[in-house]
Structures are given as C-alpha cells and as structure tokens.
Amino acid sequence: MYKELNVKVGDFVLYKSGHPLSKVEKIIKVTKVTPTGRIRIEGYDEQYDKYGNQMGNHDRWYGGSSIRIPTEEDYKRIKENSAISKALSLVKKLNKENLPYDLAVEIIKVLESEEKE
C-alpha cells in the first residue's frame, strides 16, 4: 500500500518527470491541497493524488510525473546536479571574443587538475 504524502501549502516536494529523453528532478513548492488530498505544485498544471501520482491524461510514452517528500540525499543530489549543469552551461557560452586570456588559463588549470584525479 502506498503512503499518503500529508503535505500542506508551502511544503516542498521532489518532482520527477518520467519523460525518457529529458528526465527532470527538482524540489518544488506545494501551492494547493484540496480536502480530498489532490495536490498542485508551483509552475506546473498537473494535479497529483494524495500518494504523489500524476492524475488525468498523460501520454503513455511520456510516463507522467510524480512527487514525493524529499530526503536530505535528494536535496544534496539536486544541489550538486544544478551546480554541474550551470557550470557546463556557462562554459558552452564562452567564445574567443568574450574569453579573456587570464580566465582561459585558469579554466585550463582547473580542468586539467580534474583530469589527473
């Protein structure tokens, strides 16, 4: 038997999408809980039952999404993945015109030291 989430407005939940090509995992705030236990979260139109399963129509291939109470490990993993994604995104934005030589040398030092470990 599934365990009920027992969340209230303002609590945070772990949101996970089931899309096979672009899985998403993030901590999101609960914006509404109905008397029957239906849950809505910030920034999404989906509705979840009191067990955290997405309700309504969704594509079978997509797999839907779910929410659950986050653990300390979830917070840590999401914080680390977010920092890694941000760093990779910033590196991709660099180009010859906007990258000063001194910064390029520092980036090389950091990345080469990572390769040695």
Side-chain angles (χ1 to χ4, degrees), residues 4 14 23 40-42 50 53 58 65 69-70 74 89 91 95-96 103 105 111:
E4 289 186 29
L14 175 67
K23 294 186 183 214
R40 289 204 180 257
I41 56 174
E42 192 170 67
K50 60 187 174 182
N53 301 307
H58 53 83
S65 60
I69 305 296
D74 294 328
S89 175
V91 168
N95 62 48
K96 189 174 180 178
L103 181 55
V105 170
L111 295 177

Side-chain angles (χ1 to χ4, degrees), residues 35-69:
T36 59
R38 293 181 181 193
I39 303 165
R40 289 204 180 257
I41 56 174
E42 192 170 67
Y44 290 87
D45 290 332
E46 291 94 2
Q47 187 168 237
Y48 300 87
D49 65 20
K50 60 187 174 182
Y51 304 107
N53 301 307
Q54 182 180 348
M55 299 176 69
N57 294 333
H58 53 83
D59 187 340
R60 282 186 181 188
W61 187 78
Y62 164 68
S65 60
S66 64
I67 58 173
R68 66 175 172 84
I69 305 296

